[in-house]
Amino acid sequence: MRYLTEAEVQEIHEREVGSGGLADYALLASAVGRPRATAFGEDAYLSIHDKRSTIGCGS
């Protein structure tokens, strides 16, 4: 599975929303990494739908 990088997400943001406006780079890094999370050596989010949903939520 291929995951988006922080740079790719920033590029999408700039293209869709405009430059600037990204308030917290640490939160971006956290959100981009969330779909890769593991628990006890297994993927924390098993399906692509679960992985996708982690990007859109704040928890």
Side-chain angles (χ1 to χ4, degrees):
M1 178 169 297
R2 183 184 176 289
Y3 297 97
L4 293 173
T5 66
E6 289 177 53
E8 289 170 325
V9 174
Q10 279 184 293
E11 182 180 320
I12 293 167
H13 174 79
E14 289 177 7
R15 186 174 57 233
E16 299 297 323
V17 179
S19 62
L22 184 58
D24 191 330
Y25 289 94
L27 286 177
L28 173 64
S30 175
V32 169
R34 198 172 296 132
R36 295 184 189 112
T38 60
F40 307 107
E42 302 288 329
D43 281 350
Y45 306 101
L46 300 179
S47 75
I48 193 165
H49 304 291
D50 292 337
K51 292 174 184 294
R52 168 30 198 113
S53 68
T54 65
I55 296 171
C57 73
S59 59

